């Protein structure tokens, strides 16, 4: 499936029909995926262009594909200029052939201080949802920091390896949001390998958590939970530890809770969220260590997300009311995602006007670039279009490439 790159605006029903082809009839797909045949008819006949994330995962499993292949999420960044920017440039940077071409060592390293600033800038762009800026920064950053790691000696080896791990990690996260999960997997595995050459067990554990997140995106929920719980076990706090240690551990527990929620194991998910909450109470508030957001706000956000993915919409809205200070402890894109979860719940409950207000706010908070690359955002907007044709909603749908 890696060579198919659907364009924004494609209809989910068209993708489902193409993916099942002649191998499965509509009835056979419905039975294999354990979904309603009536829902498949609505999707394939363009009467609906959205469904729940749970149903999408069932269809993806039955069709032996990624959810992104169904919803048309995979995308490039056409506004990135030149051969040294964009998704293809990132791919090339992640798969160098210097050792085969006899040019190894020709790329000049950068100073550790410059490498650190590159990593900081990349992560700042990521948290702001500026994917086109990342498309310009990452290809050169990967090459520069790889050269720096190779040239490092003595005590600089560990530092350079950790910085290289962090730029690869930012790359992996960016690629996930663009729907390029296979390339993202390569990046995160390389990031973890680089982190193991460093001296920071919390960074290594956090990267294992990111591996778990990618497994979750791929629908491998049981493996995701196993990976993050194993990482959590290795860094479980004993006695008094720094806040960063608590944040890493609590975040891993919360990721395990999310994976359990995706499996519809709601009771286990909430038990793990309760454990994460008990860790959060030991912190002075919301934190961001190791590019991990953790604290009371993050726990409230993930509780809401778990309940939305489990199709428990009234419970999700009740959980959202526990968000401290309206989510101001979250990163910008996390605030937008929380608004989106609430909008999804309202949409599924038929409260379309309220849902539209939250979707519009989410776009303003997260930015148009972020919105265009969020499957749930596009799904909710498409579902709203089925019930509301106001000018504002149609204009929003047009901006993010959703076709009514």
């Amino acid at each position: 499936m890696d060579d198919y790159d659907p364009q924004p605006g494609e209809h989910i029903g068209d993708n489902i029909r193409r993916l099942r082809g002649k191998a499965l009839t509509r009835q056979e797909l419905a039975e294999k995926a354990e979904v309603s045949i009536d829902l498949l008819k609505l999707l394939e006949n363009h009467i609906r262009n959205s469904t729940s994330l749970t149903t999408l995962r069932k269809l993806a499993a039955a069709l032996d594909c990624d959810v992104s292949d169904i919803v048309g999420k995979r995308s490039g960044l056409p506004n990135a200029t030149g051969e040294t920017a964009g998704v293809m440039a990132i791919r090339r940077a992640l798969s160098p052939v210097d050792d085969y071409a006899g040019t190894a060592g020709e790329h000049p390293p950068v100073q550790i201080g410059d490498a650190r600033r590159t990593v900081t800038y990349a992560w700042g762009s990521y948290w702001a949802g500026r994917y086109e800026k990342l498309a310009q920064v990452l290809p050169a950053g990967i090459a520069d920091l790889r050269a720096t790691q190779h040239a490092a000696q003595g005590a600089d080896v560990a530092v350079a390896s950790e910085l290289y791990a962090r730029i690869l990690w930012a790359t992996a996260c960016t690629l996930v949001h663009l729907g390029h999960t296979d390339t993202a997997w390569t990046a995160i595995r390389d990031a973890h390998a680089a982190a193991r050459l460093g001296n920071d067990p919390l960074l290594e554990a956090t990267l294992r958590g990111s591996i778990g997140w990618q497994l979750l995106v791929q629908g491998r929920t049981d493996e995701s939970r196993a990976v993050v719980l194993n990482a959590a076990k290795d860094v479980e706090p004993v006695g008094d530890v720094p806040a960063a240690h608590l944040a890493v551990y609590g975040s891993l527990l919360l990721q395990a809770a999310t994976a359990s929620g995706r499996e519809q194991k709601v009771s286990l998910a909430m038990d793990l969220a309760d454990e994460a909450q008990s860790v959060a109470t030991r912190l002075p508030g919301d934190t961001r260590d190791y590019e991990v957001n953790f604290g009371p706000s993050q726990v409230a956000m993930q509780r809401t997300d778990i309940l939305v993915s489990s199709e428990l919409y009234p419970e999700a809205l009740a959980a959202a009311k526990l968000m401290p200070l309206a989510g101001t402890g979250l990163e910008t894109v996390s605030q937008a995602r929380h608004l989106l979860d609430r909008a999804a719940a309202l949409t599924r409950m038929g409260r379309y006007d309220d849902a539209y207000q939250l979707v519009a706010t989410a776009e303003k908070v997260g930015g148009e670039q972020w919105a265009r690359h969020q499957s749930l955002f596009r799904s909710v907007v498409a579902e709203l279009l089925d019930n509301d044709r106001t000018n504002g909603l149609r204009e929003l749908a047009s901006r993010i490439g959703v076709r009514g």
Side-chain angles (χ1 to χ4, degrees):
M1 304 308 303
D2 193 47
D3 60 351
Y4 177 70
D5 195 7
Q7 299 300 309
E10 283 196 37
H11 200 286
I12 286 178
D14 292 338
N15 293 335
I16 292 172
R17 187 184 298 108
R18 175 185 56 79
L19 288 163
R20 68 178 175 84
K22 295 181 180 179
L24 293 171
T25 66
R26 187 184 290 167
Q27 181 66 47
E28 288 170 339
L29 175 58
E31 292 174 356
K32 186 177 180 182
E34 297 182 346
V35 302
S36 164
I37 182 68
D38 291 334
L39 173 61
L40 283 182
K41 289 179 181 178
L42 291 173
L43 292 171
E44 292 194 2
N45 291 331
H46 291 200
I47 298 171
R48 283 188 58 178
N49 192 27
S50 63
T51 185
S52 71
L53 193 56
T54 299
T55 298
L56 287 172
R57 287 198 169 94
K58 288 180 179 179
L59 289 169
L63 292 166
D64 191 26
C65 68
D66 290 333
V67 169
S68 60
D69 292 313
I70 297 176
V71 299
K73 181 184 177 184
R74 281 169 47 110
S75 60
L77 293 166
N79 290 333
T81 57
E83 295 183 358
T84 59
V87 172
M88 295 309 298
I90 293 172
R91 283 180 179 268
R92 285 193 294 271
L94 290 171
S95 53
V97 295
D98 298 354
D99 48 346
Y100 300 111
T103 57
E106 290 186 6
H107 191 97
V110 299
Q111 297 296 317
I112 292 294
D114 291 334
R116 198 181 304 280
R117 282 187 283 274
T118 296
V119 170
T120 299
Y121 185 79
W123 275 106
S125 298
Y126 173 79
W127 285 118
R130 297 196 298 267
Y131 300 124
E132 291 174 5
K133 180 61 67 176
L134 282 162
Q136 297 172 357
V137 171
L138 291 174
I142 294 166
D144 288 348
L145 270 70
R146 180 188 292 114
T148 301
Q149 184 204 32
H150 288 171
Q153 296 181 356
D156 284 345
V157 172
V159 176
S161 296
E162 290 166 5
L163 288 170
Y164 183 43
R166 286 175 180 267
I167 196 76
L168 290 173
W169 181 18
T171 302
C173 293
T174 300
L175 289 168
V176 167
H177 283 291
L178 297 178
H180 295 269
T181 53
D182 290 343
T183 311
W185 183 253
T186 297
I188 198 60
R189 291 296 296 263
D190 289 349
H192 181 248
R196 294 182 67 181
L197 298 175
N199 293 324
D200 192 338
L202 293 179
L203 175 62
E204 189 270 341
T206 303
L207 284 167
R208 287 158 66 188
S210 192
I211 289 171
W213 175 56
Q214 290 208 25
L215 290 169
L216 182 64
V217 170
Q218 295 173 28
R220 298 162 64 178
T221 51
D222 55 338
E223 293 171 290
S224 174
R225 184 177 61 253
V227 167
V228 296
L229 285 179
N230 191 46
K233 180 185 68 176
D234 289 345
V235 294
E236 185 173 359
V238 177
D240 291 331
V241 297
H245 192 152
L246 290 172
V248 168
Y249 177 68
S251 178
L252 290 167
L253 291 177
L254 204 51
Q255 287 186 68
T258 302
S260 299
R262 295 291 191 272
E263 282 189 281
Q264 306 300 293
K265 296 180 178 178
V266 182
S267 179
L268 175 59
M270 288 306 173
D271 286 345
L272 287 164
D274 287 343
E275 289 188 51
Q277 177 64 45
S278 69
V279 177
T281 60
R282 298 172 61 183
L283 294 170
D286 294 302
T287 64
R288 193 184 86 187
D289 295 290
Y290 294 93
E291 302 305 333
V292 167
N293 291 282
F294 184 71
S297 296
Q298 195 71 22
V299 174
M301 173 185 170
Q302 293 303 328
R303 282 186 191 276
T304 305
D305 179 77
I306 289 166
L307 292 165
V308 168
S309 67
S310 301
E311 302 182 11
L312 298 171
Y313 304 123
E315 293 86 345
L317 293 177
K321 292 180 180 179
L322 301 177
M323 175 66 70
L325 299 175
T328 53
L330 299 173
E331 296 290 338
T332 300
V333 292
S334 296
Q335 291 180 39
R337 172 62 197 221
H338 182 62
L339 289 167
L340 191 53
D341 273 330
R342 291 169 56 197
L346 289 167
T347 300
R348 307 284 155 69
M349 293 171 66
R351 295 170 56 182
Y352 304 120
D353 289 342
D354 293 337
Y356 168 64
Q357 294 302 319
L358 286 179
V359 165
T361 303
E363 186 199 23
K364 291 178 182 177
V365 172
E368 186 179 326
Q369 282 188 45
W370 172 85
R372 287 184 65 86
H373 298 291
Q374 292 294 311
S375 295
L376 182 60
F377 197 107
R378 295 177 62 184
S379 178
V380 171
V381 169
E383 192 164 341
L384 288 173
L385 278 174
D386 291 338
N387 299 278
D388 185 356
R389 307 292 296 180
T390 59
N391 288 337
L393 180 59
R394 284 186 293 176
E395 290 171 2
L396 189 158
S398 176
R399 285 196 298 272
I400 65 172
V402 171
R403 191 174 61 188

